[in-house]
Amino acid sequence: MTATSGLGNPRLASPDLLRSVFRQHAAGVAVITAQGGRPVGFTATSLTSVSAEPPVISFGIGLGASSWPVIAESEHIGVHILGEHQQELAATFARSGADRFGAPTHWYEGPHGVPVLEGVLAWLVCRVVARVPAGDHRIVLAEAVVGDPAGAGRPLLYHQGRFNALRD
C-alpha cells in the first residue's frame, strides 16, 4: 500500500491529536448524576448503548473529575439525554466549581435516591455493573432499571467544542 495525496498531514498519536479528531465527531449530550453525601453530576458526550439484552449503557469519566469519588462508590446512577433547549444546563454541569444542583437546575430525588433532572428528553436510572480502567479514565457499565423516554424536543449535540442543535 502506498501513501495517497489527500490524506493531509498525518501526525503521531497524542492527547492533542485525539482531541482534534474528536472535535470532528458530533455527539449527543447527556448529564450523568449520582447521590453520595450530596448530589453530583457531570456533562458527558461519551454515552453509548452497549447491549439491549440486558439493557446496558456505558460512559467515560476522568479520575480527576469532581464527580468521580461518588460515581466510584455509587450503586446507581442517572443518565439524562439533554434537549437543544438545555445548552445552559449542559454548560453548568460541564463547568468546574459550579453549583450544579442549585437554581436554576430543577431536579428531584428519583428511584434509588438518584437525582433526576426535569425537562430532559429522556432519562434512565441504572445499576452500575462494572468500572473498567481506561488510562486516566474509567468506563462505567450500567444496566438500566427504570426510565422515561417521553420528553419533548430535539437532542442537543456537541461538535467543534460547542453545543449545537440538530439540523434537518
Side-chain angles (χ1 to χ4, degrees):
M1 181 175 265
T2 59
T4 356
S5 63
L7 289 180
N9 297 315
R11 303 184 327 214
L12 292 177
S14 69
D16 286 339
L17 174 63
L18 189 66
R19 282 187 208 94
S20 295
V21 167
F22 273 85
R23 280 188 196 105
Q24 300 296 339
H25 176 68
V29 180
V31 168
I32 309 298
T33 61
Q35 181 63 259
R38 60 182 173 77
V40 300
F42 64 97
T43 300
T45 57
S46 62
L47 181 65
T48 304
S49 170
V50 174
S51 168
E53 190 57 45
V56 174
I57 59 94
S58 72
F59 60 88
I61 180 171
L63 296 176
S66 61
S67 297
W68 170 243
V70 173
I71 300 288
E73 300 295 324
S74 293
E75 288 186 38
H76 292 88
I77 52 94
V79 175
H80 307 82
I81 308 300
L82 300 191
E84 63 186 2
H85 63 287
Q86 295 178 303
Q87 289 187 24
E88 282 303 314
L89 183 66
T92 296
F93 276 83
R95 194 168 27 255
S96 180
D99 181 5
R100 296 172 179 163
F101 290 89
T105 302
H106 298 284
W107 64 281
Y108 60 94
E109 185 177 308
H112 301 280
V114 172
V116 174
L117 302 175
E118 293 182 357
V120 297
L121 297 186
W123 62 268
L124 293 168
V125 168
C126 302
R127 181 180 58 82
V128 175
V129 295
R131 294 170 186 88
V132 181
D136 61 355
H137 279 61
R138 291 295 180 265
I139 305 301
V140 178
L141 296 166
E143 184 175 351
V145 175
V146 63
D148 184 356
R154 295 164 54 107
L156 180 62
L157 300 178
Y158 189 73
H159 180 251
Q160 288 291 345
R162 59 181 221 244
F163 299 114
N164 293 278
L166 183 65
R167 292 188 274 283
D168 291 327

